[in-house]
Amino acid sequence: MRARYSSFSHTSNAAAYRAAYYSKAHRAALHAAAAPAGPDHGHRGSVPPGLGAPTAQHLGPMSREGLRPGGALELAAAIRSASALPDGGALGRCLHGLAVKAGRVASSAAVAKAAMDMYGRSGSLADARLLFDEMARPDAVCWNILITACSRGGRFEDALGLFRSMLACGAAQSMPTAVTVAVIVPGCARSRHLQAGSSVHGYVVKTGLESDTLCGNALVSMYAKFGGSRAMDDAHRAFSSICCKDVVSWNSIIAGYIENGLFQDALVLFGQMISQGYLPNYSTVANILPVCSFTEFGRYYGKEVHGFVVRLGLEMDISVCNALMIHYSKVFEMKALESVFASMDVRDIVTWNTVIAGYVMNGYHSRALDLFQGLLSTGIAPDSVSFISLLTACAQLRDVRAGIGVHGYIFRRPVLLQETSLMNALVTFYSQCDRFDDAFRAFTDILNKDLISWNAILSACANSEQHTEEFFRLLGEMCHQWDSVTVLNVIRMSAFCGIKRVREAHGWSLRVGYTGETSVANAILDAYVKCGCSQDASIFFRNHAVRNTVTDNIMISCYMKNNCIEDAEVIFNHMAEKDLTSWNLMIQLYAQNDMDDQAFSLFNHLQSEGLKPDIVSITSILEACIHLCSVQLVRQCHAYRLRASLEDIHLEGALLDAYSKCGNITNAYSIFQVSPKKDLVTFTAMIGCYAMHGMAEQAVELFSKMLKLDIRPDHVVLTTLLSACSHAGLVDAGIKIFKSIRDIHRVQPTAEHYACMVDLLARSGRLQDAYTFALDMPPDTVNANAWGSLLGACRVHGEVEIGQLAADQLFSMEAENIGNYIIMSNIYAADEKWDGVENVRKLMKSKDMKKPAGCSWIEVDKTRHLFIASDVKHQDRSCIYNMLGSLYQQIQDTQTQNMTTMQSM
């Protein structure tokens, strides 16, 4: 088996072997045909154009020795041998000339047939036809040779005409045979001439050739190539009519079903083939394995085929092993793939490419890089396919250094630079690594740019709005016809340019008919959403007939951004198919609108549908847990994250923040401690946790550790740190941090930073400094939070004058915020300025403002109990009020006892 594989795999050795074999055959045939000179019988046939008598240069020693051609069969064998050589046409012509000169053509059909076949193979159809026309009574073999020559030369109409002439001839010896049918039928398929193929099939049925294996196989293949349910019915009838089916018959019908997407039927036929005792060969395995990848029970079927391969001894065939590995990579069976790979004694470049691509396809990018190093150690030179997979892995790992190394390797080998697909992959790699300049340089190095090349560089531009001008310049230079990918890039870039450009792209797509493609329609809808044009998005969504799950998800996200809960619910409830993104969007919508019960209900429903929550699901439901201040629910989310191995730095930060806001700083710090990769998000969450619990010193200390790790702060962590200093009264530390925002960290102070500084000064009692600071804030940073902090501090410190000034600012900025009016009223009341209290109340009454009812809740035994002022609807209200009454009575009794004791003293 290995010897057989070796002769087939090394094509150059096989070619050399054939050349040597045929050279020996030619020499033997020529010497056998050479005979002593005899009487010349004359020339009874015409010499084809360009055909002269062989010279000494052509025939070499045979001519110089004065030998003359002998037996016709030997000469025919020499001509056939010459026609098998890659450049044997000239030698074949010389031998034919020798035959004509010796007068053997007219007297020997064997020589004439050999010459006809030789001319047909070399493309000299006119010469072949000339010989055919000179034959007095051509038999079926002669007709077949000429029909084969026409079919091989792509002249199907001529071949079909010869077939009709063959039928019209009527001679028994010239009637079409099974070979004729096997030659003419593939031509019908290639030329898409179904009517002609059906006519040939009719002849086959009338002459009883339908049971012939050769005819049946050809008809099955022809109908399969035409495709369609009717054609496949005809193919199956032709297959059923074959009396003695062989493995080719089964392979033809199975391949036909596969080509027409009838995968389940193909698997059924494969089972019948096995049950009837036919042994699959390499072609069977190569046909059926890809089908297994597309079926529901693909893994099971694939292992069955693998079992047949082992039982039949095909596991040593390198092509079969490669096909098995391709299948296992598609069904995510990487252990089985590795097992096949390890069992192979001989591997070629296809083997290595298959395994590397399998790792990349299944997300094992680091293993793909390691395996590529193994390929290099074998001495087998990687090809363009190897580097395409390698670049994909580098892009996913963001390993720019390795990708640049691949680029250098390609640059040093001009042959690889000519591979357009490889250069396209290089452009895509740099694009995914956000290195536009390198992507553009790789694009300019492409020698033969195709449509994919242009789409790749346009995609690189569309990744950022910084390259808008470059995008439209390249679009103008693009000489290829646009496809849907080009249109998608145009729409993506248009979203950066504003609603006007999006509407232009929409109009153009509508005119050229691209909006009928779901991907383009979804891109247009997404562009409207990104531009904030919910009305345009809604109109487009309602008027567009082509929808899928992605379309509905985009529209739900639009409604989520605008808090249109009812509209989102309508779409969600009417979705034919919901994916995990659909559920996550609705959970997030409910959570951000304080609809916690609905969020948890949907979260549980998601799991009952057989879906598994992912990182987005847990992050969204954590927001609802925070609203309920439920440590128990946060712990459940934490436990699920550990069980599901959801490793994500942002989810860690969300859990840490949730524990912090629910009052459990111990668990929050534990998450921070065990985090293997602490980034800005993690530090920000932990600093915020310290800030929330009044541990400002620890927050400042942690911030210093963050800076030592060269993690650059952003405005969020700086705001959190200032808030911590404010709540802890660390005025000097807060002022120092505020000054460092611009001077050291090179961050532009935001409105939140200024509000924190006002709060810091006001809380410490420096109300005048806080008021001055608030007045000096830049216009673009003035906000209600700063004045609200100052007003609250004035209430604490009993400062009426500054409080009134702060209230005036707030009344103009937040005219409908009742909280500001209540605080100012309390400030007046604390200073016994009842006129001021009355004025504020009149102002509230004129605006029809009412103070919202107080609300509180508590979690007992995993159940949340909600209490609202003046609400008597709680189910346990009787027990609660009885208990409160009992506690109140105990307090009164205790006070009475204390008073009695004091009086007795």
Side-chain angles (χ1 to χ4, degrees):
M1 189 63 96
R2 293 184 183 176
R4 182 178 63 186
Y5 155 71
S6 178
S7 65
F8 282 114
S9 61
H10 302 290
T11 55
S12 59
N13 293 339
Y17 174 78
R18 285 196 298 270
Y21 171 81
Y22 284 124
S23 297
K24 292 177 182 178
H26 286 189
R27 289 196 295 271
L30 289 173
H31 286 292
D40 191 352
H41 295 286
H43 171 53
R44 291 181 293 174
S46 60
V47 180
L51 185 65
T55 64
Q57 181 181 0
H58 290 126
L59 296 180
M62 184 173 74
S63 177
R64 291 195 297 271
E65 295 171 6
L67 299 178
R68 307 286 290 231
L73 293 178
E74 290 82 353
L75 191 56
I79 294 173
R80 283 195 296 272
S81 299
S83 65
L85 286 173
D87 299 320
L91 180 59
R93 282 179 177 274
C94 293
L95 290 172
H96 185 202
L98 182 64
V100 172
K101 186 176 181 181
R104 300 288 183 179
V105 173
S107 60
S108 174
V111 174
K113 292 173 183 177
M116 280 178 58
D117 184 58
M118 180 269 296
Y119 285 126
R121 289 178 183 274
S122 63
S124 302
L125 296 179
D127 294 342
R129 184 60 190 255
L130 187 60
L131 277 175
F132 178 82
D133 291 340
E134 289 179 350
M135 293 181 178
R137 298 177 63 188
D139 59 9
V141 175
C142 299
W143 286 96
N144 290 345
I145 291 172
L146 199 57
I147 292 172
T148 302
C150 291
S151 297
R152 188 183 291 118
R155 298 169 63 172
F156 170 71
E157 293 298 333
D158 292 340
L160 194 60
L162 287 170
F163 179 78
R164 294 193 183 100
S165 300
M166 194 176 181
L167 288 172
C169 182
Q173 76 277 7
S174 62
M175 290 301 290
T177 63
V179 175
T180 317
V181 174
V183 170
I184 199 70
V185 162
C188 298
R190 283 193 298 270
S191 61
R192 310 298 298 171
H193 207 315
L194 179 59
Q195 185 176 359
S198 299
S199 299
V200 175
H201 192 181
Y203 168 79
V204 169
V205 173
K206 283 188 290 186
T207 55
L209 289 173
E210 59 183 333
S211 61
D212 183 85
T213 305
L214 188 62
C215 280
N217 293 348
L219 287 169
V220 170
S221 296
M222 178 193 72
Y223 284 122
K225 285 182 173 60
F226 281 118
S229 58
R230 182 175 178 181
M232 286 311 301
D233 290 341
D234 293 335
H236 197 274
R237 275 192 289 271
F239 172 76
S240 301
S241 300
I242 301 174
C243 183
C244 299
K245 299 178 181 67
D246 59 7
V247 68
V248 177
S249 312
W250 288 98
N251 287 347
S252 298
I253 189 66
I254 290 172
Y257 277 111
I258 293 171
E259 288 174 9
N260 288 275
L262 304 171
F263 301 137
Q264 199 63 41
D265 294 330
L267 287 170
V268 171
L269 280 169
F270 177 73
Q272 292 175 359
M273 175 184 180
I274 300 300
S275 64
Q276 295 182 25
Y278 292 91
L279 298 180
N281 61 7
Y282 162 69
S283 297
T284 320
V285 174
N287 282 330
I288 206 66
L289 272 176
V291 176
C292 299
S293 307
F294 294 115
T295 55
E296 183 179 358
F297 302 102
R299 297 185 181 185
Y300 172 76
Y301 290 133
K303 289 178 179 178
E304 274 198 339
V305 174
H306 194 173
F308 286 120
V309 166
V310 174
R311 287 199 292 273
L312 296 172
L314 292 175
E315 76 275 10
M316 298 304 296
D317 191 305
I318 193 169
S319 301
V320 171
C321 290
N322 291 344
L324 280 169
M325 288 191 294
I326 292 172
H327 162 73
Y328 283 129
S329 68
K330 289 181 178 178
V331 297
F332 313 111
E333 288 276 2
M334 292 306 296
K335 289 185 178 179
L337 182 149
E338 290 170 345
S339 176
V340 175
F341 180 74
S343 67
M344 297 175 68
D345 294 330
V346 181
R347 299 164 182 156
D348 60 4
I349 187 61
V350 177
T351 308
W352 288 93
N353 287 346
T354 300
V355 180
I356 293 172
Y359 278 133
V360 173
M361 187 188 306
N362 288 272
Y364 299 104
H365 304 109
S366 297
R367 291 190 193 178
L369 295 182
D370 295 338
L371 199 65
F372 183 79
Q373 295 297 326
L375 167 62
L376 295 178
S377 65
T378 64
I380 300 175
D383 60 6
S384 60
V385 178
S386 317
F387 287 116
I388 290 173
S389 297
L390 187 64
L391 286 169
T392 304
C394 292
Q396 294 299 321
L397 294 171
R398 310 283 289 187
D399 193 340
V400 179
R401 183 177 179 181
I404 292 174
V406 173
H407 193 176
Y409 185 96
I410 296 169
F411 189 77
R412 292 190 298 272
R413 287 159 178 80
V415 175
L416 291 176
L417 284 172
Q418 297 176 11
E419 293 282 350
T420 303
S421 58
L422 177 56
M423 297 301 293
N424 293 343
L426 197 59
V427 174
T428 303
F429 159 74
Y430 282 125
S431 171
Q432 291 177 344
C433 291
D434 298 324
R435 296 175 70 96
F436 176 77
D437 293 338
D438 293 322
F440 188 78
R441 278 191 289 271
F443 173 75
T444 56
D445 288 338
I446 301 177
L447 300 177
N448 300 305
K449 298 179 179 65
D450 58 9
L451 181 58
I452 297 175
S453 311
W454 287 95
N455 284 338
I457 192 62
L458 290 175
S459 296
C461 293
N463 287 338
S464 172
E465 57 183 326
Q466 298 176 358
H467 306 295
T468 305
E469 294 182 4
E470 191 71 22
F471 177 88
F472 288 106
R473 184 185 67 80
L474 288 168
L475 194 66
E477 295 177 1
M478 186 174 174
C479 54
H480 291 269
Q481 183 68 34
W482 290 14
D483 66 353
S484 59
V485 178
T486 319
V487 176
L488 287 172
N489 285 324
V490 172
I491 295 169
R492 283 176 57 201
M493 182 55 76
S494 299
F496 293 126
C497 301
I499 186 61
K500 181 180 179 182
R501 182 75 77 170
V502 172
R503 285 172 178 156
E504 289 177 355
H506 181 190
W508 184 88
S509 302
L510 192 64
R511 286 194 299 274
V512 297
Y514 273 114
T515 52
E517 296 190 22
T518 308
S519 59
V520 174
N522 290 342
I524 294 172
L525 182 63
D526 187 55
Y528 279 129
V529 173
K530 286 179 178 176
C531 289
C533 299
S534 56
Q535 186 175 0
D536 291 276
S538 182
I539 294 172
F540 181 79
F541 178 79
R542 288 197 303 269
N543 295 336
H544 198 66
V546 182
R547 297 181 188 175
N548 59 8
T549 304
V550 177
T551 316
D552 294 331
N553 289 343
I554 293 173
M555 204 61 220
I556 291 175
S557 69
C558 175
Y559 288 136
M560 183 184 72
K561 291 178 181 178
N562 294 277
N563 289 326
C564 301
I565 300 171
E566 293 182 358
D567 293 329
E569 286 177 334
V570 169
I571 295 176
F572 181 78
N573 293 331
H574 286 84
M575 288 178 68
E577 293 183 5
K578 302 180 181 73
D579 60 6
L580 188 56
T581 302
S582 314
W583 295 89
N584 287 344
L585 286 169
M586 288 303 299
I587 292 171
Q588 188 177 354
L589 175 62
Y590 285 139
Q592 74 183 18
N593 286 278
D594 296 335
M595 301 173 68
D596 305 317
D597 291 336
Q598 292 88 331
F600 277 104
S601 175
L602 212 60
F603 185 77
N604 294 328
H605 193 182
L606 174 158
Q607 297 176 77
S608 67
E609 291 289 328
L611 297 174
K612 294 183 179 180
D614 62 357
I615 294 170
V616 178
S617 313
I618 302 300
T619 304
S620 299
I621 204 64
L622 276 173
E623 189 173 352
C625 297
I626 293 171
H627 293 159
L628 301 177
C629 290
S630 175
V631 177
Q632 182 65 31
L633 292 174
V634 175
R635 285 197 180 109
Q636 291 179 17
C637 293
H638 190 182
Y640 177 85
R641 174 240 174 185
L642 295 175
R643 290 196 304 271
S645 299
L646 299 177
E647 300 295 334
D648 182 74
I649 195 71
H650 294 87
L651 179 56
E652 284 184 359
L655 276 168
L656 196 157
D657 185 60
Y659 274 126
S660 170
K661 290 179 178 177
C662 291
N664 193 321
I665 193 172
T666 303
N667 285 359
Y669 186 70
S670 298
I671 292 178
F672 178 79
Q673 281 290 87
V674 300
S675 178
K677 295 182 180 179
K678 298 178 178 66
D679 66 351
L680 180 60
V681 175
T682 315
F683 274 99
T684 302
M686 194 63 221
I687 290 171
C689 179
Y690 283 139
M692 190 179 299
H693 289 79
M695 303 168 69
E697 292 84 358
Q698 291 87 336
V700 174
E701 183 181 353
L702 192 61
F703 181 74
S704 299
K705 290 181 180 179
M706 187 188 84
L707 295 178
K708 289 178 181 178
L709 294 174
D710 292 331
I711 299 176
R712 184 180 178 183
D714 63 354
H715 71 280
V716 177
V717 70
L718 291 168
T719 303
T720 304
L721 198 61
L722 285 172
S723 177
C725 294
S726 174
H727 285 80
L730 301 180
V731 180
D732 294 336
I735 293 173
K736 183 179 178 181
I737 291 169
F738 182 79
K739 290 181 178 179
S740 71
I741 293 176
R742 181 185 287 110
D743 299 340
I744 298 176
H745 305 303
R746 306 300 180 188
V747 176
Q748 185 67 29
T750 64
E752 288 80 8
H753 296 151
Y754 283 99
C756 286
M757 280 303 298
V758 172
D759 187 58
L760 174 70
L761 295 170
R763 280 176 183 267
S764 63
R766 297 167 59 174
L767 299 175
Q768 186 61 49
D769 292 339
Y771 177 69
T772 304
F773 188 90
L775 289 177
D776 292 339
M777 288 191 301
D780 58 335
T781 62
V782 175
N783 61 84
N785 290 334
W787 292 107
S789 298
L790 181 58
L791 181 62
C794 289
R795 175 179 176 273
V796 172
H797 295 282
E799 176 56 54
V800 179
E801 184 178 349
I802 296 178
Q804 188 172 359
L805 294 173
D808 291 340
Q809 295 282 349
L810 287 169
F811 292 166
S812 63
M813 297 172 69
E814 295 182 333
E816 304 300 324
N817 188 346
I818 192 173
N820 298 326
Y821 295 90
I822 294 173
I823 293 174
M824 194 62 229
S825 175
N826 292 337
I827 292 174
Y828 282 132
D831 200 43
E832 298 184 355
K833 295 185 179 299
W834 307 115
D835 292 341
V837 173
E838 186 65 24
N839 290 334
V840 172
R841 288 183 177 178
K842 286 181 179 179
L843 191 60
M844 291 171 60
K845 189 174 182 180
S846 66
K847 295 179 179 293
D848 195 23
M849 291 182 175
K850 293 182 181 180
K851 182 180 178 180
C855 176
S856 61
W857 63 89
I858 188 173
E859 183 179 335
V860 179
D861 294 332
K862 301 181 182 180
T863 302
R864 182 167 57 94
H865 297 271
L866 182 68
F867 301 96
I868 301 175
S870 302
D871 183 12
V872 292
K873 295 180 180 179
H874 194 279
Q875 58 183 4
D876 298 324
R877 61 185 179 277
S878 299
C879 295
I880 294 171
Y881 287 131
N882 289 336
M883 178 60 70
L884 287 174
S886 175
L887 291 173
Y888 182 71
Q889 185 62 46
Q890 290 181 29
I891 293 171
Q892 283 188 326
D893 293 343
T894 302
Q895 288 177 342
T896 302
Q897 291 176 2
N898 292 338
M899 291 291 295
T900 304
T901 302
M902 291 178 65
Q903 289 175 359
S904 64
M905 293 175 63

